[in-house]
Amino acid sequence: MIAQPHPQLVGTAAKADRAPRFVRWLAPTRVAYWLSVRHSLASEAVAVLVLYATYEAARGLVVRDRRVAVDHAQTVASTEHTLHVFIEPNVQHAARALPGLLTLLGGAYLTLHLSVTAALLLWLHQRRPAVFARTRTTLLLASALALIGFIAFPTAPPRLAGLGIADTVSGGHVDLNKGVVSALYNPYAAVPSMHIGYALIVAVALLRHGRRLLVRAIGALYPPFVVLVIVATGNHFFLDAAGGALVAGLAAALAALLTRRPATARLVVERTQLGDRVGRQSGCLVLGRG
């Protein structure tokens, strides 16, 4: 006699089978497996673009309470005074003394954050496929963790905190506070600085996987240059940068756990799929016998 599954189990299997495909693919085991392996360039590009657009939209929709954000910025400045590291005005003054330097740094602030990160992902995907998944996953997790900081501690940048630090980026054809640029850009999401978070992830990848001395040298110099960019342009405090470094470190640790054993994740997914098929077949058998 063939054992018949409990009717409740049959109903559960049937409901799972009727669930939309995209819901089934959001199961934790499937998500972990997807993150742990490298996919086609087209699939990776679409996924990263969609997730980053979602991140920017959520970042831009964070409640913009100027008073609270400015208070938080002044708290950061006060903390830096206590630690004797509040030198952002001095950095900007020194940069202003060199003709054209602030214009260069402003352009770098607007362009390097995404272009360098995208170039790194493309390079890893094509030239270092074995390590691509971990770096991509680190970037995605860092973005998710940063959103928590933006929501929990909205902070104005130094240029908007009444600290005597100028906005050197806005002007001419670019205004960070008005128009199209400000539609998604949230000036009160300064903590943590993901310019630094992304820069450190890029640097680690170049230092660990670059085979030429020039590539590793670029990796070593990139984060200090980004610190100069964000501070001299009045967009971040040094403590913002420290927060970005902390987020990058936490994301790297989590990504290492998720991507350590892709074969194990694949096995879990395959077992889940097998269980779904067995459940459906058992359900069909019971219905047939009924």
Side-chain angles (χ1 to χ4, degrees):
M1 180 177 179
I2 300 177
Q4 297 181 4
H6 193 280
Q8 290 183 348
L9 296 179
V10 175
T12 301
K15 290 180 181 177
D17 189 42
R18 291 195 299 269
R21 179 175 296 181
F22 78 91
V23 173
R24 295 199 300 271
W25 274 102
L26 289 178
T29 52
R30 289 190 171 103
V31 172
Y33 171 66
W34 192 95
L35 291 173
S36 67
V37 297
R38 167 184 174 272
H39 306 277
S40 69
L41 183 59
S43 297
E44 292 285 357
V46 170
V48 170
L49 286 174
V50 169
L51 290 172
Y52 187 79
T54 303
Y55 159 78
E56 283 293 344
R59 181 175 182 265
L61 292 174
V62 172
V63 176
R64 304 183 180 195
D65 189 329
R66 176 182 174 83
R67 182 184 58 81
V68 172
V70 170
D71 286 347
H72 286 166
Q74 292 176 348
T75 298
V76 173
S78 177
T79 303
E80 288 193 349
H81 275 294
T82 301
L83 298 173
H84 304 289
V85 295
F86 182 69
I87 58 173
E88 286 85 352
N90 298 337
V91 172
Q92 188 175 82
H93 179 73
R96 193 184 299 277
L98 296 175
L101 180 57
L102 283 178
T103 300
L104 173 65
L105 297 178
Y109 178 80
L110 293 172
T111 59
L112 292 186
H113 180 51
L114 295 182
S115 62
V116 171
T117 305
L120 173 81
L121 288 175
L122 179 61
W123 176 69
L124 290 176
H125 190 277
Q126 298 298 301
R127 305 296 293 273
R128 304 290 187 272
V131 300
F132 170 84
R134 178 170 295 187
T135 302
R136 178 253 288 136
T137 301
T138 301
L139 288 165
L140 294 178
L141 291 174
S143 300
L145 291 172
L147 277 178
I148 299 174
F150 302 151
I151 295 170
F153 196 75
T155 307
R159 60 185 173 81
L160 295 179
L163 299 170
I165 298 174
D167 180 359
T168 65
V169 176
S170 298
H173 299 292
V174 176
D175 191 336
L176 296 178
N177 308 308
K178 299 178 181 178
V180 177
V181 176
S182 66
L184 290 178
Y185 173 79
N186 183 355
Y188 306 132
V191 176
S193 168
M194 290 317 294
H195 277 73
I196 292 301
Y198 281 23
L200 286 171
I201 295 169
V202 168
V204 169
L206 294 178
L207 288 169
R208 293 186 62 182
H209 309 298
R211 294 172 185 167
R212 296 182 180 180
L213 179 60
L214 176 61
V215 173
R216 295 196 296 272
I218 292 173
L221 294 174
Y222 185 53
F225 175 71
V226 174
V227 171
L228 174 63
V229 167
I230 65 173
V231 172
T233 58
N235 282 286
H236 287 285
F237 295 99
F238 282 108
L239 285 182
D240 301 349
L246 176 62
V247 165
L250 290 174
L254 291 173
L257 292 175
L258 284 173
T259 62
R260 183 181 301 171
R261 297 175 181 174
T264 302
R266 180 192 289 272
L267 180 60
V268 171
V269 171
E270 290 176 348
R271 286 178 176 176
T272 301
Q273 293 172 339
L274 178 60
D276 289 344
R277 288 197 296 270
V278 170
R280 290 195 295 269
Q281 291 172 359
S282 299
C284 291
L285 178 60
V286 171
L287 293 174
R289 292 173 60 86

